[in-house]
Amino acid sequence: MGCDGFRRIRAWHRLTAFTVASCLLALPARGDIIDRVLALAGGDLILLSDVQTVTIFGLLPDAPDETDALTWLIDRTLTLAEVNRFIVAEPEAGVIDADLADVRGRFSTPEEFQRALAAVGMTETELARVVRDNRRIDSYLRQRFGSALQPTEAALARYYRDYVDRYSVGEVAASFDRVRAQVQRDLQEERRQALIADWVDRLRLRATVIRLDEDE
Amino acid sequence: MVLVDRSPGPTGRRPWAARCLPILVLGGWLSYAPGAVADVRDYLGLPIVEVNLDFDGTEPPPGSDELVVTRVGTPLSMADVRESIWHLFSLARFSDIRVDASPRGGGVALQYELTPVRIVDRLAFRGDLKLARRRLREAIAERYGARPRFDQMADVAEVLRGVYSDEGYLKARIATSPIDRGGGLTTLDLEVSAGERARLATLTIDGPVLQPEPVIFRRLNLRIGEYYAREALERRLADYADNLRDRGYFEVVVGHAIAGRSDGRQIDLTLTIDPGPRVSVEFEGDPLPSEIRETLVPVAQESSVDEDLLEDSSRRLLDYLWRLGFPRAVVNYRRTAADLELRIVFHVDQGPLVRVGRIEIEGYETFPRSVLEDRLGVASGDPFVEASFAVGVAAMAEAYREAGYSDARVEMQVVEEPGPSGSGPIAHFRITVTEGPRQRVRSISIEGAPKSVSTRLEGAITAGAGEAYERSIALADRDAILQELLSLGYESASVRVDASFDPDTHQVDLIYVIEAGAQILVEHVLIAGQFRVSAATIRRELTLVPGQPLSQDRLAESRRRLSALGLFRRIRITDISHGSDTRRDVLVAVEEAPATTLGYGGGFEVGTRLRQGRAAGGFAVERIEFAPRGFFEIGRRNLWGKNRSVDLFVRASLRSRNEREVDDGSGEFGLNEYRVLGTFREPRAFGSAAELLVSTFLEQSIRSSFSLRQRGVRVEWRRPLGSTASLSGGYTFNKDRLFDEQFNAEEERLIDRLFPGIALSTFSGTFIRDRRDDPFEPTRGELLSVDTGLAGRTIGSEVGFAKMLMHAFLYRRLGGSSSVVYATGLRVGLAAGFPRTAKVTDDAGNFVLASNGQPLETVVQDLPASERFFAGGSTTVRGFALDRLGDESTIDQNGFPQGGNGLIIINNELRFPVWGNVGAVAFLDVGNVFETVSTMELGRLRGGAGFGLRYRSPIGPIRIDLGFKLDRRDFGSGTREGLTALHVSIGQAF
């Protein structure tokens, strides 16, 4: 193929590339996502801004990423629906105020706190409601799963053996008799958490839960 | 493609396009990459300059624009964004919603990207199915409904694999692929490869068998080499278990398990059959009726010998004996097990029968003894049932407490003595009432009520200071207050009534303690789903208004009013809470019904008809007539977005005309009776609660003595007055023409002769008050209606008259809740014609001249035939055939009714059930038609009595009535009236 032929081909290449580039530039650039649906849990929507509320305000103390926050919100939504079916004692106003003050304290200035609220589309009252519902959930779970069975001595001893490191100071393990009360509390709490987890699993099975974040 | 040539160019450099490729790809990626999650603070507060909704190519749901509250010109707020997402999602039309923001000219442009819910509405099966498509569809529908969601696609395949496995296709393969047809609809393509059906390779029974294994296999129709089918096998196993239960093996357990071999062609089947012990239930001691033994000891029915069941059975037997008056009865049971036998023996010792002797009541003043005895509910001679006495004594005490005697005590003493020889002991009762002082209400107060509503709540209290304290009234007031609070939007309100008694003054302070909770107010009312109906039409019917309380009453009322429009197939009103404790949005989602309605039908009518009999000298003879009829109706609703409608109704009957006499057998058969009616309806006309109806009609009807053709227009204004009454007024202009008259020529009314065709211009008014419990088959309530009409020559009528017809019906159940209903009714009609002069004409229509050569004139004062009253028939006086009630002044000598200006009808009917849906009635009707109002006399009323049957069918009660005349008269021709009249119809007589 001669030079002219090459030139002709290159001209075609340039023209094609120019056309493609022009078309791409002419297409409207997609904007920034400011909110979206992330999940549907038992008929309730969970939005991106809900997840951001959890992370920005530190409502889940373990500081998880957004995926964990969404999982927590799904479980919370299902649990709250169950809690609302029963009469659960309202937390005292002082408790909610203290929780809110704690949340506020995570921001350097009140203005920063207000800006954070605006960013997730919430008011202080609505945030207080979230805090209140968290307390109500805790209260319900304590009420429902608080009276775990007293573990047997054998179970306590086995738990102590399995987690003896927890009861060690440096290299020295505390004797079972010395930490027996603590072992009992830990084992009971572990069993309680297992019961709650099992209950929430069953809630999830009963309800329709759709996670849209998993589509991507 | 030019961009794929990556060979170096002559200079060793890659071609230009290849060098540009990364840039182009990057550019393209930047353009198409999913939007990044932004720091929304960059956008917050910026003015919104554009809002777009992208429905992914599908039709936007109507009203969806209204659901987006981020409006152009307002600053961007995330609360609005969240609220908009909630609103849109509540339509249940989208599976995903994203909101993108981008800077645009100093502001922000918003784009809502809405992903429609994808529905699998079609299933397409392909491949080697082996099973019927219907079976597969049913299995999917049973699990996921007729239209599974797109995201359930994988589960659908799993369900089908289960179906195949149950039929022995252990290696069935199912591949699914969706075919998007647009509009959110998807066809799910299911490619099936059923594979080979497995056969039974081995048969094993696990458990202690009662019969040889081959016998059981034969019984279960199981053979090696046969195909496996789970459902059929389970059915046969269940039959086998039932058979064992019938033989006393109540605890039998059966089941089966399969193990497929690796080739998928063979199955090893293991049956589990544990018959358990054979149970026998026996009774010893005092005998019990067999049906009581079976009912109260349901071991066989429950197929269980559980300890709880046996204890419950003992308790039930004991209760049964106590209720019969054996208070010392003893029942126990024992179990005896040996090998595979279990014997349960109930021992019954009923003890002596104790009867109630004297009942003495003392210390009562307020109530008469009969009231207290009624409350006690036990009488001397009854078997002594301790529980019944306890309930009765408590009821007596409650009667006093309800009447304000809160300290009242009722005590009972029992003295038992031996009865006469051969009978059991007698228990005598002494009931002592200590009434104590009557409490009066000293004060009434409400605590905890929100200030803004306290006055309204006080209005709900009916108890008053100074009145006797009655607990039931206080509780009713509490409920009324709660109802008020709920209707004011306090959805979590609770109310309790505290009564504090002052023992010194015997007075009560009533305090209604309210915990109102938050008042829920309506923030937005969102309307969605309407295509043709305007949002304003829907809004007009809603009683929920932004800023007003959200109450369940208003919600229900709004739904009722929208339903009453008849424009919607489905209405969903939901309150949406998003973040606020006190404010909710109300979403009204409607699905419109088709705008065009079409109706048609056919049937036939069988009835008696009056005809001139030539052989009878022109005298009226009744003939049974069969007339096929049909109707057609077409309507268009929701004209111009409002709830206006237009309807066209056409009805026609094939009947013979009156002009031919029946004896010649040549009646002109054709569409001689018809009705064409066009109606325009405007509800809430001119912004009022009234509706306006404009109709035009063309009608031809065959009446007893004449045929009538009418055409005209009518305008009617109808306004409801509360829920049970209505008032209407109207104007009608019509032209009537009489033809085929059968009147005796000598007796024909002057007006009918002079005005066979007549124009009438009439103003009318109607009042209706309907308080019946059921319009088709009322059992209680009243109906009153008054119709009035006024026609005058000054308003365009050829003759003038005034007319009134009043109906009053009353329905009562006899004996409280009895199903016997007494119905009575009174109908009175009064009419008077205004005199006018008219020129007399001969039969040819020429004026008859007087002796002075001028046309002869006469005064006409009658009403035209179409406006006169007629009576007799299935809904008036049932001893008479249709229109044949009257006397010599209103029935001509040939027996044809002429109608009159006065009418009285009085009906009495007793309706009672007979068996199932069949009922019967006995009736006595009296009434008459009078020539003029001045000749109306009660002494001239004629009666008919009779009986009838009713069958309650889905289309209303089917009625057969046979009426007998109480007095028969001779017509002028000497013919005597028939004794009876038979009526067959649908619906009650009145």
Side-chain angles (χ1 to χ4, degrees), chain A residues 30-125:
Chain A
R30 188 162 172 172
D32 300 313
I33 297 173
I34 56 172
D35 208 351
R36 60 162 296 198
V37 176
L38 283 183
L40 186 67
D44 284 331
L45 274 186
I46 298 172
L47 305 182
L48 173 63
S49 48
D50 292 320
V51 171
Q52 287 169 339
T53 303
V54 172
T55 53
I56 292 172
F57 294 97
L59 298 179
L60 189 55
D62 301 339
D65 61 14
E66 293 195 341
T67 307
D68 291 335
L70 178 58
T71 305
W72 180 77
L73 273 173
I74 290 170
D75 291 349
R76 181 185 179 277
T77 304
L78 299 175
T79 309
L80 188 58
E82 196 67 14
V83 171
N84 286 338
R85 291 174 55 216
F86 301 95
I87 297 170
V88 178
E90 286 292 319
E92 289 174 12
V95 173
I96 297 173
D97 290 344
D99 285 352
L100 275 178
D102 189 31
V103 173
R104 258 190 230 104
R106 290 173 198 148
F107 295 87
S108 52
T109 63
E111 292 74 28
E112 191 63 28
F113 174 65
Q114 290 301 331
R115 271 198 292 275
L117 280 172
V120 291
M122 287 203 127
T123 61
E124 269 198 75
T125 313

Side-chain angles (χ1 to χ4, degrees), chain A residues 204-216:
Chain A
R204 256 189 246 120
L205 285 175
R206 282 210 309 260
T208 304
V209 177
I210 299 168
R211 285 183 72 137
L212 297 175
D213 65 326
E214 289 170 349
D215 297 347
E216 296 173 352

Side-chain angles (χ1 to χ4, degrees), chain A residues 27 32-33 49 126 129 216, chain B residues 32 43 82 98 101 579 581:
Chain A
L27 283 170
D32 300 313
I33 297 173
S49 48
E126 287 160 2
R129 189 166 85 148
E216 296 173 352
Chain B
Y32 284 106
Y43 297 104
R82 285 168 59 86
R98 297 170 187 233
D581 275 343

Side-chain angles (χ1 to χ4, degrees), chain B residues 41-336:
Chain B
R41 279 173 277 208
D42 296 343
Y43 297 104
L44 284 178
L46 291 178
I48 299 170
V49 295
E50 192 178 315
V51 178
N52 292 311
L53 275 70
D54 178 0
F55 294 94
D56 200 18
T58 61
E59 187 76 17
S64 44
D65 286 352
E66 195 185 344
L67 305 181
V68 176
V69 295
T70 48
R71 303 271 156 78
V72 171
T74 60
L76 177 66
S77 137
M78 280 305 292
D80 290 346
V81 172
R82 285 168 59 86
E83 192 172 340
S84 303
I85 295 177
W86 273 100
H87 291 170
L88 290 163
F89 210 85
S90 58
L91 294 176
R93 298 275 296 267
F94 308 109
S95 61
D96 192 6
I97 300 171
R98 297 170 187 233
V99 186
D100 294 346
S102 51
R104 181 79 48 89
V108 57
L110 294 180
Q111 169 102 350
Y112 286 79
E113 292 185 14
L114 302 130
T115 308
V117 170
R118 289 180 70 182
I119 295 290
V120 176
D121 67 326
R122 284 186 200 164
L123 299 169
F125 293 98
R126 289 192 295 121
D128 174 26
L129 296 185
K130 296 274 176 47
L131 297 178
R133 283 180 168 77
R134 187 177 166 189
R135 166 90 196 275
L136 302 177
R137 282 182 207 285
E138 280 174 357
I140 294 169
E142 191 179 317
R143 185 73 179 270
Y144 301 107
R147 290 156 68 102
R149 287 199 321 267
F150 182 75
D151 55 10
Q152 290 168 331
M153 215 167 57
D155 302 335
V156 166
E158 197 51 46
V159 165
L160 290 184
R161 267 190 281 275
V163 172
Y164 275 98
S165 173
D166 288 348
E167 290 297 324
Y169 297 98
L170 304 180
K171 299 280 182 183
R173 286 199 308 274
I174 291 142
T176 58
S177 53
I179 302 166
D180 189 356
R181 305 203 318 277
L185 299 178
T186 302
T187 299
L188 182 59
D189 186 78
L190 292 144
E191 185 168 4
V192 179
S193 171
E196 204 164 329
R197 191 174 185 188
R199 293 175 186 271
L200 298 172
T202 60
L203 301 172
T204 316
I205 297 182
D206 188 10
V209 292
L210 297 171
Q211 294 166 294
E213 289 191 354
V215 174
I216 297 175
F217 292 141
R218 218 169 22 250
R219 174 94 209 298
L220 295 172
N221 200 18
L222 287 172
R223 279 187 294 276
I224 288 174
E226 289 289 313
Y227 290 122
Y228 166 75
R230 186 185 61 84
E231 208 170 300
L233 176 57
E234 283 184 351
R235 212 166 34 242
R236 292 196 294 268
L237 275 171
D239 285 345
Y240 182 71
D242 286 344
N243 182 266
L244 286 179
R245 283 191 198 97
D246 290 344
R247 289 161 53 194
Y249 294 95
F250 296 139
E251 295 183 316
V252 60
V253 175
V254 295
H256 82 279
I258 58 166
R261 295 192 181 172
S262 57
D263 60 0
R265 295 174 184 171
Q266 288 188 306
I267 283 176
D268 298 314
L269 172 68
T270 305
L271 301 177
T272 310
I273 300 176
D274 180 2
R278 183 173 192 171
V279 179
S280 63
V281 179
E282 296 167 23
F283 291 82
E284 63 179 28
D286 291 320
L288 293 170
S290 61
E291 66 270 19
I292 292 296
R293 292 201 305 253
E294 283 165 19
T295 311
L296 301 186
V297 187
V299 170
Q301 292 94 316
E302 302 276 333
S303 298
S304 168
V305 284
D306 184 76
E307 207 61 43
D308 288 345
L309 179 78
L310 296 178
E311 281 177 12
D312 286 348
S313 300
S314 286
R315 204 169 298 117
R316 279 193 288 265
L317 288 172
L318 215 48
D319 283 344
Y320 166 74
L321 292 168
W322 286 345
R323 281 201 309 276
L324 291 180
F326 297 101
R328 287 168 212 157
V330 176
V331 176
N332 51 40
Y333 69 89
R334 64 180 186 277
R335 314 169 68 124
T336 315

Side-chain angles (χ1 to χ4, degrees), chain B residues 639-810:
Chain B
L639 296 174
W640 308 296
K642 307 284 182 187
N643 190 21
R644 301 183 183 103
S645 63
V646 62
D647 284 280
L648 175 69
F649 175 83
V650 180
R651 188 190 68 205
S653 298
L654 272 175
R655 297 184 68 178
S656 60
R657 288 180 60 173
N658 275 342
E659 61 181 354
R660 298 299 176 119
E661 294 162 348
V662 290
D663 300 352
D664 65 7
S666 61
E668 190 182 321
F669 209 64
L671 289 175
N672 292 317
E673 201 168 58
Y674 56 81
R675 186 173 198 221
V676 181
L677 174 69
T679 307
F680 169 78
R681 177 174 168 266
E682 163 103 38
R684 299 186 184 278
F686 311 118
S688 71
E691 68 174 352
L692 180 72
L693 293 147
V694 180
S695 50
T696 176
F697 55 89
L698 172 66
E699 184 169 5
Q700 181 170 299
S701 53
I702 299 172
R703 309 279 287 267
S704 300
S705 308
F706 55 87
S707 293
L708 178 69
R709 188 176 299 130
Q710 294 178 294
R711 57 200 162 95
V713 292
R714 175 169 173 76
V715 180
E716 187 180 354
W717 173 92
R718 191 185 297 162
R719 182 190 167 85
L721 303 173
S723 59
T724 58
S726 69
L727 186 67
S728 64
Y731 169 76
T732 310
F733 181 82
N734 56 302
K735 285 193 167 179
D736 295 358
R737 178 151 207 93
L738 283 189
F739 62 103
D740 292 350
E741 296 100 319
Q742 301 188 104
F743 304 119
N744 182 301
E746 294 170 8
E747 295 176 75
E748 187 174 8
R749 298 278 169 88
L750 194 58
I751 191 167
D752 297 338
R753 233 181 309 141
L754 296 180
F755 295 96
I758 193 166
L760 296 174
S761 172
T762 315
F763 282 102
S764 59
T766 304
F767 171 78
I768 298 173
R769 185 177 184 217
D770 188 353
R771 297 177 66 184
R772 294 173 297 175
D773 58 345
D774 181 347
F776 300 104
E777 207 169 348
T779 59
R780 62 169 74 94
E782 304 87 38
L783 170 68
L784 172 71
S785 79
V786 182
D787 284 299
T788 56
L790 179 69
R793 294 180 65 197
T794 52
I795 54 172
S797 199
E798 287 187 78
V799 293
F801 62 84
K803 185 178 172 185
M804 188 277 289
L805 179 62
M806 186 272 293
H807 297 73
F809 298 114
L810 176 83

